[in-house]
């Protein structure tokens, strides 16, 4: 069902579409456009919040899956904005909107259409947010042209994502054996969203393009070191962690995509980013973390490494004389329902931090809050953030260190690729 448009938009839609068709010429800034004030980036933050309320709140999609949806929204918004404003290359699109169109209206229309297409049950929320966005824009031709172009930008993303593997019947089918993942307490749930392993990426050429080699062998010294560390530092009780290490482990147990969206909003506001640069930040980080998710899940499904809780409890079956079992061992945080290698969290982190570091010149000023601990942190550099996350997943008892380190490196490569291939300044 198509959402009703505000009256002023409906009344002149045909006129707007006619102007859009006539305005389909190569983009070039006019003298008036060059001297106009920067477009307002508030619409980017508004629709980030609406996307989170829709995907996380209404639809309650699993945390890892959410990265994909935020990637779709941010890519559509980015194309809608730069298709009018210019400055950067579009994402897998080569259309330009009328130079007189409102980029704010285009951004709102694109986000609204993407979310309504995939989450129609949230129509009331989405239509209210859309009306609120358009109410901030003067009625008239510019608004109508922007709306029409934003709809086109969204349609392009929907087209690109057709038959991309979302929701495909993929299952984890490796039988239990030493080193092989199996459902973990307390829920003992099957692998969550295994289809993410096969989804067509947004930036990469295939889900396995950057898949790393296998995890350390069970009989290796590295595996024994990894197990000993998480066993000593990651237990729910009797661990060697300090209070500060415990807080760090808990801090990163929140819903990461929600944390990221809030942190991006905070950065764009504090640093006064204009509409174009805000759209670019969200889109580059959003698509990179979407592909980080896909790459991590492809790796998890391929290798199927067991989690620390299973490895420690069944250490007498791993064939490594340097490991010893503890049948009662439990982690600080409940183990998520999917294999260990490689860490999804650290893959997303690596991708996002690399994008932010390159876009900000290294001073990422990344302020992130955790509902788990009720605290907030500010990270000045990607390195300081990544170090904490790698440690946190070990101290929480849910990952081997090698899984974290490899994941962070792969995520970093995805972040580099995002800005090497896409979102580049126009020449």
């Amino acid at each position: 069902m198509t959402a009703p448009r505000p009256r002023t938009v409906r009344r002149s839609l045909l006129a707007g579409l006619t102007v859009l068709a006539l305005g389909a010429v190569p983009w070039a800034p006019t003298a008036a456009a060059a001297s106009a004030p920067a477009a307002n980036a508030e619409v980017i933050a508004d629709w980030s919040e609406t996307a989170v309320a829709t995907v996380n709140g209404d639809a309650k999609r699993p945390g890892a899956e959410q990265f994909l949806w935020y990637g779709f929204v941010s890519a559509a918004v980015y194309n809608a904005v730069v298709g009018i404003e210019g400055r950067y290359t579009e994402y897998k699109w080569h259309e330009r909107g009328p130079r007189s169109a409102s980029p704010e209206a285009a951004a709102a229309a694109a986000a609204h259409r993407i979310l309504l297409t995939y989450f129609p049950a949230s129509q009331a929320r989405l239509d209210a947010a859309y009306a609120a966005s358009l109410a901030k824009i003067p009625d008239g031709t510019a608004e109508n042209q922007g709306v029409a172009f934003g709809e086109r930008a969204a349609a392009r993303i929907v087209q690109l994502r057709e038959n991309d593997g979302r929701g495909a019947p993929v299952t984890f089918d490796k039988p239990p054996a030493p080193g092989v993942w199996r459902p973990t307490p307390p829920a003992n749930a099957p692998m969550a969203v295994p289809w993410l392993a096969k989804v067509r990426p947004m930036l990469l050429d295939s889900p396995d393009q950057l898949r790393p080699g296998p995890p350390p062998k069970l009989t290796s010294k590295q595996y024994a070191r990894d197990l000993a560390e998480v066993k000593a530092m990651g237990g729910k009780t009797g661990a060697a962690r300090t209070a500060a290490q415990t807080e760090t482990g808990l801090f990163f147990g929140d819903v990461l995509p929600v944390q990221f969206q809030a942190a991006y909003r905070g950065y764009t506001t504090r640093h006064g980013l204009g509409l174009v640069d805000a759209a670019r930040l969200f889109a580059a980080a959003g698509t990179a973390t979407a592909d980080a998710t896909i790459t991590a899940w492809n790796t998890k499904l391929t290798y199927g490494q067991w989690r620390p809780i299973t490895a420690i409890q069944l250490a007498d079956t791993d064939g490594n004389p340097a490991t010893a079992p503890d049948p009662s061992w439990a982690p600080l945080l409940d183990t998520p329902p999917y294999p260990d290698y490689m860490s999804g969290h650290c893959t997303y982190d690596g991708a996002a931090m690399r994008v932010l570091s390159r876009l900000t010149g290294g001073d990422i000023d990344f302020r992130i809050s955790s509902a788990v601990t009720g605290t907030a942190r500010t990270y000045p550099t990607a390195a300081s953030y990544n170090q904490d996350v790698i440690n946190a997943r070990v101290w929480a008892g849910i990952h081997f260190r090698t899984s974290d380190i490899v994941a962070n490196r792969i995520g970093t490569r995805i972040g580099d690729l995002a800005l090497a291939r896409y979102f580049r300044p126009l020449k």
Side-chain angles (χ1 to χ4, degrees):
M1 178 177 178
T2 301
R5 300 186 187 283
R7 179 174 56 83
T8 56
V9 177
R10 291 202 308 269
R11 184 175 62 238
S12 54
L13 178 57
L14 290 178
L17 288 172
T18 300
V19 173
L20 182 60
L22 293 175
V25 297
W27 183 93
T30 63
S35 62
N40 193 332
E42 183 181 10
V43 67
I44 303 293
D46 289 346
W47 280 95
S48 166
E49 289 190 88
T50 299
V52 168
T54 301
V55 178
N56 182 70
D58 296 345
K60 294 179 171 56
R61 295 300 175 91
E65 180 186 334
Q66 291 184 36
F67 281 112
L68 199 61
W69 301 113
Y70 301 142
F72 293 179
V73 172
S74 62
V77 169
Y78 171 81
N79 276 352
V81 170
V82 300
I84 295 170
E85 295 282 276
R87 292 184 54 199
Y88 301 108
T89 57
E90 292 164 294
Y91 167 76
K92 297 186 177 182
W93 206 35
H94 302 286
E95 299 290 334
R96 293 296 185 187
R99 294 184 290 267
S100 56
S102 164
E104 295 96 339
H112 174 261
R113 178 54 52 194
I114 288 289
L115 290 167
L116 187 59
T117 297
Y118 297 118
F119 301 96
S122 293
Q123 180 166 356
R125 176 192 298 281
L126 297 172
D127 287 352
Y130 190 36
S133 289
L134 294 186
K136 299 174 183 178
I137 302 167
D139 294 341
T141 300
E143 177 189 59
N144 298 334
Q145 289 176 333
V147 165
F149 190 68
E151 291 276 356
R152 286 176 57 191
R156 173 58 176 165
I157 298 301
V158 172
Q159 178 189 45
L160 286 171
R161 301 312 304 182
E162 289 178 354
N163 303 312
D164 65 357
R166 278 173 290 122
V170 177
T171 57
F172 183 89
D173 57 6
K174 291 180 173 61
V180 177
W181 180 82
R182 73 285 312 272
T184 55
N188 293 306
M191 183 177 180
V193 287
W195 53 262
L196 276 173
K198 303 293 186 179
V199 167
R200 185 191 316 131
M202 298 192 74
L203 308 173
L204 301 177
D205 298 325
S206 66
D208 62 354
Q209 180 180 340
L210 293 182
R211 186 175 70 209
K217 293 181 179 181
L218 296 184
T219 54
S220 67
K221 292 181 179 179
Q222 183 62 58
Y223 175 79
R225 286 195 294 268
D226 282 351
L227 187 142
E229 180 186 23
V230 71
K231 183 180 181 182
M233 299 295 292
K236 183 181 290 289
T237 60
R241 292 183 310 270
T242 65
Q245 290 170 335
T246 297
E247 201 274 343
T248 295
L250 294 173
F251 184 91
F252 291 101
D254 207 344
V255 182
L256 188 63
V258 175
Q259 291 177 289
F260 273 10
Q261 288 292 307
Y264 302 156
R265 293 194 299 269
Y267 183 90
T268 60
T269 299
R270 288 193 309 277
H271 293 268
L273 267 60
L275 179 62
V276 177
D277 286 320
R280 185 190 187 210
L281 185 153
F282 272 85
T287 55
T289 50
D291 277 17
T293 304
I294 295 166
T295 302
W297 252 247
N298 185 273
T299 304
K300 290 176 183 292
L301 188 70
T302 298
Y303 298 120
Q305 185 188 36
W306 60 8
R307 285 281 191 162
I309 184 172
T310 311
I312 292 168
Q313 291 183 357
L314 301 180
D316 56 342
T317 70
D318 63 20
N320 192 323
T323 67
D326 181 351
S328 64
W329 189 90
L332 175 65
L333 290 177
D334 289 343
T335 301
Y338 27 81
D340 186 84
Y341 183 86
M342 56 185 182
S343 163
H345 202 300
C346 290
T347 315
Y348 326 139
D349 294 314
M353 291 304 112
R354 189 60 163 183
V355 167
L356 293 173
S357 187
R358 290 187 58 177
L359 291 183
T360 64
D363 182 10
I364 63 173
D365 184 29
F366 195 67
R367 303 185 188 182
I368 185 170
S369 300
S370 173
V372 176
T373 61
T375 58
R377 297 183 174 199
T378 298
Y379 289 94
T381 66
S384 60
Y385 176 92
N386 286 333
Q387 181 180 24
D388 267 8
V389 172
I390 289 171
N391 285 332
R393 308 311 271 173
V394 175
W395 297 338
I398 58 177
H399 273 303
F400 297 113
R401 182 169 292 274
T402 296
S403 180
D404 295 343
I405 292 172
V406 171
N408 197 259
R409 289 173 179 168
I410 295 297
T412 298
R413 291 179 62 187
I414 294 172
D416 277 331
L417 183 145
L419 294 173
R421 289 190 182 180
Y422 304 96
F423 317 111
R424 294 173 297 177
L426 290 172
K427 295 180 180 179

